[in-house]
């Protein structure tokens, strides 16, 4: 069932849905957030079966359920600000404004993709649009964001960088080295941990000493808070405060987004590490797209027709993206070495 089907079936009016506080949110914001989150949901929903059909090579990590985190944070940024992501970053990429047809073509490995078909689903980027790259190395994307924040600081460019990573990376040493440097150098960096409760198949609570990622961050001396990651308005408020602090020279902020992926770790995951009932509880009460749709209608910001129109527009955009990717050519094999660099070590028989 797609998000449009659930909306049409009354999903957005379910009494089980947790409420959102939209105080201070105007119609334009609600409309923009819903459009972006619906696009992400539809993109992931359509892309998953394309992986199983062999159209998209290399597997895929869907961000269904985590849309509010990306949209809430990135909507608080200025146009020239910078983001980096993880192996699960379609939501970050689309929220940053990359056209869905370029992203879909990249997943297909086509020449018209955002990186010419060379990056694939785990390595999406568009430096010109401020997306410095998603990354298949756990926790490494935060290092790219740290470098971007350092460059902004040294060059007095006024940009803020946001680095997303998951709860699994919260147990990787390099993540805390990045946080430490950001504090020591007081960099304009917003550190966003997407805690979706599982590091691949391992519950984070079983492998996280102390059991509290935000509390661990506070030990490095920067503001750190937990935020409902299924609430786009809450994420936006937290991110806006962090961005304002960073831009004013106040240094980095750590945000732990309490979120949940409604799908498996990757496409084809049998999900033997959690129960179907757990997933359905989250889907019924915490679906971030339906929570926003319901709250916006309750607050009088959007009508049912507005919501249906947003969801239909997302379906149309993604259908066009698939058509574009299908019709696009693969990269010319003659360009195989384009963009490849190497250092001549002058060893063995090298001249």
């Amino acid at each position: 069932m797609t998000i449009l089907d659930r909306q049409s079936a009354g999903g957005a009016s379910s009494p089980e849905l947790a409420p959102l506080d939209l105080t201070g949110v105007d119609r334009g914001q609600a409309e923009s957030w819903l459009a972006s989150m619906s696009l992400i949901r539809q993109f992931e929903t359509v892309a998953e079966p394309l992986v199983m059909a062999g159209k998209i090579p290399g597997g895929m990590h869907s961000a269904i359920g985590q849309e509010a985190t990306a949209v809430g944070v990135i909507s608080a940024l200025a146009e020239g600000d910078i983001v980096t992501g993880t192996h699960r970053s379609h939501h970050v990429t689309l929220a940053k404004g990359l056209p869905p047809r370029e992203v879909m073509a990249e997943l297909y490995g086509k020449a018209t993709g955002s990186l010419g078909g060379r990056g694939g689903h785990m390595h999406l980027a568009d430096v010109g649009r401020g997306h410095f790259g998603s990354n298949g190395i756990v926790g490494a994307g935060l290092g790219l964001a740290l470098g971007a924040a350092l460059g902004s600081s040294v060059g007095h460019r006024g940009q803020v960088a946001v680095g997303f990573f998951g709860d699994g990376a919260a147990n990787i040493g390099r993540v805390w080295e990045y946080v430490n440097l950001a504090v020591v150098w007081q960099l304009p960096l917003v550190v966003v941990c997407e805690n979706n409760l599982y590091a691949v198949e391992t519950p984070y609570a079983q492998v996280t000493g102390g059991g509290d990622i935000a509390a661990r961050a506070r030990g490095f001396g920067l503001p750190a808070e937990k935020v409902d990651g299924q609430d786009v308005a809450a994420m936006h408020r937290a991110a806006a405060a962090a961005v304002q602090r960073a831009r004013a020279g106040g240094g980095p902020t750590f945000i732990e987004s309490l979120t949940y992926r409604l799908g498996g770790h990757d496409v084809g995951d049998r999900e033997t590490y959690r129960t179907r009932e757990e997933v359905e509880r989250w889907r019924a009460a915490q679906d971030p797209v339906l929570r926003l749709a319901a709250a916006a209608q309750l607050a009088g910001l959007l009508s049912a027709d507005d919501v249906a129109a947003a969801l239909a527009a997302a379906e149309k955009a993604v259908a066009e993206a698939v058509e574009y990717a299908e019709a696009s050519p693969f990269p010319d094999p003659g360009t195989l070495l384009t963009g490849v660099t190497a250092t001549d070590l002058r060893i063995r028989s090298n001249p």
Side-chain angles (χ1 to χ4, degrees):
M1 177 178 281
T2 67
I3 190 68
L4 182 56
D5 295 330
R6 291 193 69 200
Q7 160 69 18
S8 299
S13 61
S14 169
E16 297 179 80
L17 280 173
L20 261 66
D21 178 6
L22 293 180
T23 302
V25 175
D26 61 30
R27 173 182 167 81
Q29 282 179 304
E31 199 169 39
S32 175
W33 291 345
L34 184 64
S36 187
M37 291 168 67
S38 300
L39 175 64
I40 294 165
R41 176 65 59 88
Q42 185 64 18
F43 186 96
E44 300 289 52
T45 301
V46 169
E48 280 193 358
L50 292 173
V51 175
M52 300 303 287
K55 297 281 190 179
I56 294 174
M60 194 188 100
H61 304 83
S62 167
I64 287 179
Q66 299 183 205
E67 298 90 345
T69 299
V71 172
V73 170
I74 293 174
S75 63
L77 298 177
E79 186 175 350
D81 290 335
I82 296 158
V83 303
T84 65
T86 71
H87 57 284
R88 190 185 315 282
S89 67
H90 298 171
H91 57 332
V92 169
T93 301
L94 293 169
K96 191 65 174 88
L98 271 69
R101 67 179 194 169
E102 291 183 17
V103 182
M104 187 65 79
E106 187 61 38
L107 268 59
Y108 268 69
K110 296 297 186 70
T112 55
S114 55
L115 288 177
R118 287 171 161 77
H121 121 84
M122 283 203 291
H123 300 96
L124 299 165
D126 187 332
V127 173
R129 290 187 173 103
H131 188 325
F132 278 24
S134 51
N135 204 300
I137 301 173
V138 175
L142 183 58
L144 299 178
L146 175 80
L150 177 60
S152 174
S153 179
V154 171
H156 304 288
R157 292 196 286 269
Q159 296 165 300
V160 174
V162 178
F164 291 87
F165 67 100
D167 51 278
N171 292 318
I172 297 289
R174 67 171 73 91
V175 163
W176 300 108
E177 293 178 25
Y178 302 146
V179 171
N180 183 60
L181 282 174
V183 172
V184 170
W185 292 336
Q186 285 294 282
L187 297 180
L189 178 68
V190 181
V191 182
V192 180
C193 175
E194 294 184 273
N195 182 356
N196 65 17
L197 302 184
Y198 294 95
V200 188
E201 298 180 349
T202 304
Y204 101 98
Q206 292 182 6
V207 294
T208 304
D212 191 326
I213 297 171
R216 186 182 295 178
R218 287 188 202 102
F220 287 84
L222 77 167
E225 64 175 321
K226 296 176 183 288
V227 181
D228 180 356
Q230 308 306 89
D231 180 340
V232 64
M235 287 302 306
H236 179 82
R237 282 191 282 269
V243 168
Q244 183 179 27
R245 184 181 302 115
R247 216 180 298 282
T253 298
F254 190 103
I255 298 172
E256 181 183 356
S257 166
L258 305 177
T259 186
Y260 193 79
R261 56 171 162 79
L262 293 171
H265 169 68
D266 55 5
V267 175
D269 182 359
R270 297 177 62 189
E271 301 185 60
T272 56
Y273 49 89
R274 62 183 184 180
T275 65
R276 183 49 48 191
E277 290 75 17
E278 176 187 306
V279 177
E280 290 309 315
R281 279 199 304 274
W282 276 86
R283 193 185 302 278
Q286 298 289 348
D287 184 314
V289 184
L290 292 182
R291 280 182 71 186
L292 173 60
Q297 290 175 79
L298 186 63
L301 296 173
L302 299 176
S303 67
D305 288 344
D306 292 330
V307 174
L311 302 180
E315 287 196 340
K316 182 173 184 290
V318 174
E320 290 174 351
V322 172
E323 185 177 350
Y324 179 78
E326 292 272 359
S328 294
F330 284 105
D332 179 354
T335 66
L336 181 64
L337 297 181
T338 300
V340 176
T341 60
T343 301
D344 184 357
L345 299 178
R346 298 185 180 279
I347 57 177
R348 296 184 178 174
S349 60
N350 285 355

